[in-house]
Amino acid sequence: MSTPLRKPALPSAAFAGANGQPWEEVLAFDADPRDPYLAKAAELRKIFHQDAAARDKAGGRPTEQIELIRKSGLLKVQIPREYGGEGQPISTAYRIVREFARTDGSLAHLFAYHIQQLNKVVTSGSREQQARLFTETAKNNLFWGNTGTSFQRTLTARRDGDDYVLNGYRTFSSGSHVADYISVVWDEDGRSDRISAFLPTTREGLAILDDWDGLGQRQTGSGTVTFTDVRVRKDEIRESQATAGTPFSTLIALLAQSALTSIFTGSAQGALIEARDYTVEHSRPFLASGVERVTDDPWIRRVYGELYAQTAAATLLADQSLRVLDSAWDRGLALTAEERGAAAISIAAANVFSGNVALDVTSRIFEVTGARSATASRGLDRFWRNVRTHTLHNPAEYKSRNVGLWHLTGAFPEANLYH
Amino acid sequence: MSTPLRKPALPSAAFAGANGQPWEEVLAFDADPRDPYLAKAAELRKIFHQDAAARDKAGGRPTEQIELIRKSGLLKVQIPREYGGEGQPISTAYRIVREFARTDGSLAHLFAYHIQQLNKVVTSGSREQQARLFTETAKNNLFWGNTGTSFQRTLTARRDGDDYVLNGYRTFSSGSHVADYISVVWDEDGRSDRISAFLPTTREGLAILDDWDGLGQRQTGSGTVTFTDVRVRKDEIRESQATAGTPFSTLIALLAQSALTSIFTGSAQGALIEARDYTVEHSRPFLASGVERVTDDPWIRRVYGELYAQTAAATLLADQSLRVLDSAWDRGLALTAEERGAAAISIAAANVFSGNVALDVTSRIFEVTGARSATASRGLDRFWRNVRTHTLHNPAEYKSRNVGLWHLTGAFPEANLYH
Amino acid sequence: MSTPLRKPALPSAAFAGANGQPWEEVLAFDADPRDPYLAKAAELRKIFHQDAAARDKAGGRPTEQIELIRKSGLLKVQIPREYGGEGQPISTAYRIVREFARTDGSLAHLFAYHIQQLNKVVTSGSREQQARLFTETAKNNLFWGNTGTSFQRTLTARRDGDDYVLNGYRTFSSGSHVADYISVVWDEDGRSDRISAFLPTTREGLAILDDWDGLGQRQTGSGTVTFTDVRVRKDEIRESQATAGTPFSTLIALLAQSALTSIFTGSAQGALIEARDYTVEHSRPFLASGVERVTDDPWIRRVYGELYAQTAAATLLADQSLRVLDSAWDRGLALTAEERGAAAISIAAANVFSGNVALDVTSRIFEVTGARSATASRGLDRFWRNVRTHTLHNPAEYKSRNVGLWHLTGAFPEANLYH
Amino acid sequence: MSTPLRKPALPSAAFAGANGQPWEEVLAFDADPRDPYLAKAAELRKIFHQDAAARDKAGGRPTEQIELIRKSGLLKVQIPREYGGEGQPISTAYRIVREFARTDGSLAHLFAYHIQQLNKVVTSGSREQQARLFTETAKNNLFWGNTGTSFQRTLTARRDGDDYVLNGYRTFSSGSHVADYISVVWDEDGRSDRISAFLPTTREGLAILDDWDGLGQRQTGSGTVTFTDVRVRKDEIRESQATAGTPFSTLIALLAQSALTSIFTGSAQGALIEARDYTVEHSRPFLASGVERVTDDPWIRRVYGELYAQTAAATLLADQSLRVLDSAWDRGLALTAEERGAAAISIAAANVFSGNVALDVTSRIFEVTGARSATASRGLDRFWRNVRTHTLHNPAEYKSRNVGLWHLTGAFPEANLYH
């Protein structure tokens, strides 16, 4: 082996990939620092990293961190420039999610659900709603949360003139504890689809319990929101004749999958890097190993090599699925059912694969960091707890079946809330 | 599920990736048909496919197929235009290898070793040798083979004036049975590196035994070549003051790994597709399955989905390593040790990962094609036998260790004949 | 490490397990040499081993080996003593299958199917048929084969007085090419179960084509048997009022699974041992390994250790399932549905697990035997081909589902021809 | 499938294994209820189960539970009857460990370390020490802890007449927070082995910090013990001319491995059962599953089946290693190096395999319990955290290498503190 050099001189610009980023950076999973939004996200990640383990342990609200995200301007990264946003591709939003997930799955999750709620306004809201909400969000760096994950019929609505009045509760309400706006959905008897609306979290009758008790993703506030005679105005109900029934409107399910994929990929990368830093700085060779430094043990080298290769493969499959998502999203209402189907396959494959890799990497890192790394305060297990928790929300089994059926017959999955 | 449609209408051009190829094609692992060299390779693949299983069973020489490759012009695909070649990037050569491997690992192997030998003239031959040999190869579509894989000291050389006279034998001489030129190497006492030369296979004293007995890669002719007073002229010895000791000259080991990666990736893709075709056309649901069509069984769908996702991930990691290889190769003598090191890591990761995926896919396909697919004459097992045989030539273990050490310390593997 | 000693002194009798066999032997997967039937089987295994690879390559009939089995008396090992047999437990028969499978999956298969056919006379034949056939079999060391594996309706029968006359064909007729008696089944319109009979292979109109083309289990003669006006006498039809509809009669499906389990387990053991012998005798350390002897490489040690541990676990699960099978079989007609169910679970778990282990071990051994071991003539791949072929006959998927449902609810699988 | 019946009628006595336990119980991983010590352990397990998750969350001391163990008499289960103990085989002690680990890895660990410390008195103490300490322990149901796990030289000793005076600290002191006696070890300059002694925890100068912060095994009190001028009397130093240098004395390392194996096996079993109960009682089918009950989903069935089969295989390999351990332990000073070596192999194989299975099972159960099961308060993740933490203490890598080398050459691992 050549003399170990912790930081090799950066390769010259000539040794760079198609987009000009040096290969050395690409191989190290670095977000492209020449993209100002990704550079900003990387900067935030470093700040979040300082107390990510401690905050994970504490649970509750990452108040300061949310404030930093607000100030960064990233909440409007994908909002069109005409509404005061940054007009970046949807893939950039998910690259930010991935970047956050490298140290903090909860903040990644909150950002991803914010993006998800905003895009619901695109896929099923009217032009007017988009203009109004996007402008307000961009101007004030508003945060969006969600109460629509659960499918239990725990929320009832009655008509009162043009308004609805809601009573009941919602579980799994990610981001509600930090949000300015939340999305809310309910079923109406005799109607096959659900009605959805957006509400400011200051709306009378809303109570956000902040009772989330997940074993992972602990600062996502994915707890209960109760509704006591909460009034929803007609113009708060998402409704669009333009998008209704279009393939484009069904992309929303693929955004949810892309959020998961980004969190899985970032978690695997982050776990691998945090473990590496621990091993190099703290680990000692096993007594029976016969080597002087832990990095001399062929076992330690091999395991890191295997985990790296998997993570790199997952990253590229996730990257591809984001490029496909950009293609699909940019097609807008012209998107055909076949194009939507192809996007669903790419995104499902990346989702399944990155979830499996993330579960493996986040558990196996301990093998190479060793007994003394396994403390509650160090929190190296938060990566596994985050991924383990989050993989349960849209089981890989059904995504695999969809991919397999497509490979067999060319059939695409029926668009629904999950795929 | 939507109605299965075997061949969905091709997505419009608008739904295409950065290089303009429709996503649907990319997802189906199709080589880009707009690249005339890859289109030609795909065409040849279809021809090779007609009797790939039968030829695998027979072993020996794929005489007609070699002739088709000669006529296709692909043997000169990477030779610079100034010497009458096509001047395509080195990655194109390996994409052709992958394409062939989708049905015939032996032909892929022979083509890859041809490319490897030609590039040895670049990394360690003189300008004059390049000019002479490339011009002749391009003009006559010559095929190159190899006798230099083994490291056993079974070949001795004595000086006779400026010439060498060789006696002994070489094993693992891939391509020798169809080659016009072969590469030959030997050790000289008191010299740390090996001496290498190229010889026409018509040279007096050379005997190609065609005694290869591999359980896979059965038409590669990787058997014994014997040397009886074989004379090597001074100008046939590869020697270059320009490249000696440069990082560039050590890229040859990475080419060998890239050949393996391309064969692994193509084999996984080919196995998955050939299995799919069998399942759709011939497989019947298991008696206890409770489904009417085999494609309705959630088990069959899931397994194909899992195999697809893995294969797609391996493909992208292989693709990335080829882009890195292009970057490194194109740097020529300006390539730094660090750049060479980064290329080694990318290529090693792809090699390890694609080998593992290929082993898994080529074995598990039988689970979903079923009992009646497992016949010797159908030869669906040739994919596993090819990959199993070929993965042994450069064990993943040491590549993994190299990748792991780099991830840990930034150290690059020492350049040698393997990595 | 202490000085390697290839053959440690055998542990004293005091260091032995409950049944008195020294632990050292147990750990080495040795059949208990104090059991004369297993000792005989081990002796035959050594003879079979001499040309197992060559015969696998040749396919066809293992004529001499079948003759040796006949002469050994093992064909009657399980036949009750009152009929001239050896009266050994049914588990002994499957331990013999396992022993043979350590070198020759085909002979193991033929012996297992012989046992299976004989036991069909127990589970669904009359007392008179048992007496007659067992006496004849024991006296003349007859071999039984099978034509009843396929469920396709390719055989028709018409009544002619009390007789049936058969026309058509059967595929997957394992052992038909060496058998004295074969089992035959057909469907009768309007009857839910199949009719089954046994016939001497000399019966007029029977033609055994010996056209088996499997990629594994190549000497099992699992090809086609054609029937041209083949007459079946009433007393050749298996029929028993005593056993019809009893849980006991459904044990036959568990015998078939036990045959597979025994072949999987023996194949894993045999592959591991044959690989070990190759590594120790022939393998050389990899150039980049930095070790002098291949057995010094931590990689080689680790892989063998992992493969050994898996194989040992599979062996014990298979052993347990054989003890359960003995318990169930010995209960005879008193066997309850619950007892039969518990046996089905134990046997299914062993079947699934040993199949997976065998697939893994038989493929991964090459990693530690190396490139030069992968020749067609050495035939080390026959283990994988055998297991890969045989695992397809009763897919693990459905067995796993059965075991899982039982674990969840306590429900036993419905007894049928597969489980 | 037959109608699910949650609790099938227990099989009749006739359908039982060699030791008379009904197969149905064996398959359900039930400890044999006819063994009064195991019956008592199972009873305690049910009590521990009531708040196992809550106590895991709380960390600290399981005071009430330790009291229940004291009262149960199990602390003396293995102490010879002549000293007032129960005189049970050492395997019974580890079966109790496994039983506890089915719900509470910490209590299992504490009990195992108690057993370990007692047996150190056997392997390296004098007859007098055994008589004195065993009698006292049996009479008063004393609990033993440990401060000797770490190999760091953090404890110094100086001679004072016949006594030693200790200063410094020890980490990883499992059980120190609940123990009456602790084991302590230190290095003496110029002496290759460590000196060890036992001390009452009331000894002046000892401070037990109870600062354990593990992410698993959270109530084991594996924190720091400080020593300030702690006096050790000559007769408290373990020293035995009878056992010194004997193979028997090195069995202590195998006891430590057996403790781990028992915890891994019990954790896998417990996780599988607790998950099953959750799935049956609480889980709902996935929206896209198309089934009414979660137990109807082939996916859920399959996964449980796979996890069950693995766990069953691990259980049997662990059982075998306990039988081997009994054989070795009962040989006493007559134990030969070869017998000790064979025991080391059996125990290492079980350790490696059960650790891998436990990691897999404790992570994958979530896949089949679903999103709502992943709460901190339910604590289903404690199984994974316990196993993940505990597997780090004696890495599988080196055990695998030992097993592999033995399989290759017959060489046994050199006896040391780890294997």
Side-chain angles (χ1 to χ4, degrees), chain D residues 102-120:
Chain D
R102 286 173 68 163
T103 192
D104 191 323
S106 290
L107 291 166
H109 184 127
L110 291 171
F111 188 82
Y113 275 61
H114 163 79
I115 293 292
Q116 177 87 0
Q117 306 321 315
L118 278 184
N119 282 309
K120 280 185 190 167

Side-chain angles (χ1 to χ4, degrees), chain B residues 120-132:
Chain B
K120 280 185 190 167
V121 184
V122 180
T123 56
S124 58
S126 66
R127 278 282 169 189
E128 293 68 33
Q129 288 173 333
Q130 291 176 40
R132 173 159 48 93

Side-chain angles (χ1 to χ4, degrees), chain B residues 81-158:
Chain B
R81 289 191 187 275
E82 58 188 297
Y83 302 129
E86 303 291 346
Q88 296 302 302
I90 194 165
S91 60
T92 299
Y94 290 111
R95 287 181 189 280
I96 293 168
V97 173
R98 186 199 291 176
E99 193 66 23
F100 290 173
R102 286 173 67 164
T103 192
D104 191 323
S106 290
L107 291 166
H109 184 129
L110 292 170
F111 188 81
Y113 275 61
H114 163 80
I115 293 293
Q116 177 86 0
Q117 306 321 313
L118 279 183
N119 282 311
K120 280 185 190 167
V121 184
V122 180
T123 56
S124 58
S126 66
R127 278 282 169 189
E128 293 68 33
Q129 288 173 333
Q130 291 176 40
R132 173 159 48 93
L133 291 162
F134 289 175
T135 304
E136 189 189 347
T137 297
K139 186 173 169 195
N140 301 314
N141 292 305
L142 300 185
F143 215 111
W144 287 64
N146 179 39
T147 72
T149 297
S150 171
F151 286 87
Q152 289 186 275
R153 289 189 165 226
T154 54
L155 192 61
T156 62
R158 62 177 169 78

Side-chain angles (χ1 to χ4, degrees), chain D residues 265-279:
Chain D
T265 311
S267 296
Q269 292 177 356
L272 194 57
I273 290 167
E274 194 164 319
R276 183 263 312 277
D277 290 345
Y278 184 91
T279 297

Side-chain angles (χ1 to χ4, degrees), chain B residues 113 116-118 120-121 124 129 133 144-158 164-174 176 179-188 191 193-201 203-208 224-239 417:
Chain B
Y113 275 61
Q116 177 86 0
Q117 306 321 313
L118 279 183
K120 280 185 190 167
V121 184
S124 58
Q129 288 173 333
L133 291 162
W144 287 64
N146 179 39
T147 72
T149 297
S150 171
F151 286 87
Q152 289 186 275
R153 289 189 165 226
T154 54
L155 192 61
T156 62
R158 62 177 169 78
Y164 282 95
V165 178
L166 306 180
N167 279 283
Y169 68 94
R170 280 284 176 212
T171 54
F172 287 115
S173 302
S174 294
S176 56
D180 302 296
Y181 269 100
I182 55 167
S183 184
V184 57
V185 294
W186 63 90
D187 295 282
E188 196 170 55
R191 200 174 142 161
D193 61 330
R194 302 160 94 199
I195 305 178
S196 70
F198 46 84
L199 297 174
T201 46
R203 177 65 45 89
E204 196 178 357
L206 269 182
I208 290 153
T224 311
V225 173
T226 63
F227 299 75
T228 310
D229 290 332
V230 170
R231 184 160 295 265
V232 182
R233 295 194 321 264
K234 183 178 168 47
D235 69 342
E236 290 171 333
I237 292 169
R238 285 204 310 263
E239 210 154 6
L417 288 148

Side-chain angles (χ1 to χ4, degrees), chain C residues 89-140:
Chain C
I90 195 164
S91 61
T92 300
Y94 290 111
R95 285 180 190 280
I96 295 168
V97 172
R98 186 198 290 177
E99 193 65 23
F100 289 172
R102 286 173 67 164
T103 192
D104 191 322
S106 289
L107 290 167
H109 185 128
L110 291 171
F111 188 81
Y113 275 60
H114 163 78
I115 294 293
Q116 178 86 0
Q117 306 320 314
L118 279 183
N119 282 309
K120 280 186 190 167
V121 183
V122 180
T123 56
S124 58
S126 66
R127 277 280 170 191
E128 293 68 31
Q129 289 173 332
Q130 290 175 40
R132 174 158 50 93
L133 291 162
F134 288 174
T135 303
E136 187 186 350
T137 297
K139 186 174 170 196
N140 301 313

